[in-house]
Amino acid sequence: EKVNMLSDVIEKLPPLETLLSTIIPTKCEEIKSRYLKMKEEGFILNHINIPQRLDKIKDDLIILSSSLSKFNIEGVEECLNSHQKDLSSISLSLSEEEEAKDKYLKEKDKLFNDSYEAEKYYIQVFNQIPETLKTYRLSQDEIDKLEKKKNVFELACQTHRQLENLESIAITVTYTQIVKEMKRLEASTEEISQATKVFVNYINSLQSHAQEIYDELGNYYCQLKEAEE
C-alpha cells in the first residue's frame, strides 16, 4: 500500500511542480506587468485588490513548495487550481476595465449629443404647453404623463453633467462604473425622447383633427352658398 501511495505521489509531482514553479508564477508576473501598465494609463483598479491577491498567491506557493519537497501533495492540487481560478478572475476584471474604457471613448460623444438634444426638446415642448392651451383643449392626463417625466429629465441632466465633468478632471472612478452611468443616461434619454414624441404626436393629432373640422365646415359653407344660388 505504501508503495502504491509513493507511486501515486511520484506520478503527480511533476505536473504539480510545473504549475507551482513555472505556470502560476509566470501568470502572476504577466498580471503584475499588465496591472502596472494599466495604472500608468490612468485606470482605477483599487477595487480588484491585485497586489494583495498576488502576494497571497506567492506566499502560498512558498508553503506548497515546501510541502512538495517533503513529498506531501495533500491539498496541493486543490490550492493550485484555486489560485489559477483567482488569476483568471483578475485577468477578466482587467479586461472588463479595458473594454469599458473603449466603450466610453467610442460612445460618449454620441451619447452626450443625443442626451442634450432629448433634454432640449423635452423642455421646449414642456414650456410650450401654456401657449398650446390657448389654442387647444389638452387632456390633463396627457399633460401629467409628460410632467411625470420631469424627474427622469432632471436625473438625465445630472448624470450628463457628471459624465461630461470627467473630461475636465482626472478620472477617479472605474471605467466599468462610468459605463454603468452611461447606460443609465442612455435609458433616461430614451425614456424622455419617447415621452416627448408621444406628447408631440398627441398635439399633432389635435391639430389634424381641428384642420379636418375646419375643412368640413368650409365644405359645408360652400354647399350652403351653392344651395342659396
Side-chain angles (χ1 to χ4, degrees), residues 137-166:
R137 185 176 179 181
L138 303 181
S139 162
Q140 189 59 46
D141 285 344
E142 294 298 332
I143 296 174
D144 290 344
K145 287 177 186 177
L146 187 65
E147 190 168 10
K148 284 177 182 177
K149 297 301 177 183
K150 198 169 184 181
N151 289 336
V152 179
F153 166 77
E154 291 172 351
L155 176 62
C157 291
Q158 180 184 355
T159 306
H160 191 163
R161 286 194 300 271
Q162 288 173 344
L163 287 170
E164 281 197 319
N165 285 340
L166 294 174

Side-chain angles (χ1 to χ4, degrees), residues 46 202 210-211 214:
N46 298 340
Y202 166 65
Q211 185 63 46
Y214 179 80

Side-chain angles (χ1 to χ4, degrees), residues 33-48:
S33 175
R34 185 179 176 190
Y35 164 73
L36 293 175
K37 183 175 182 294
M38 289 177 68
K39 287 273 287 183
E40 289 177 1
E41 293 173 354
F43 284 88
I44 304 299
L45 303 170
N46 298 340
H47 65 294
I48 310 177

Side-chain angles (χ1 to χ4, degrees), residues 8-19:
D8 184 53
V9 169
I10 292 173
E11 182 181 344
K12 290 182 177 179
L13 267 177
L16 292 177
E17 179 62 33
T18 300
L19 275 174

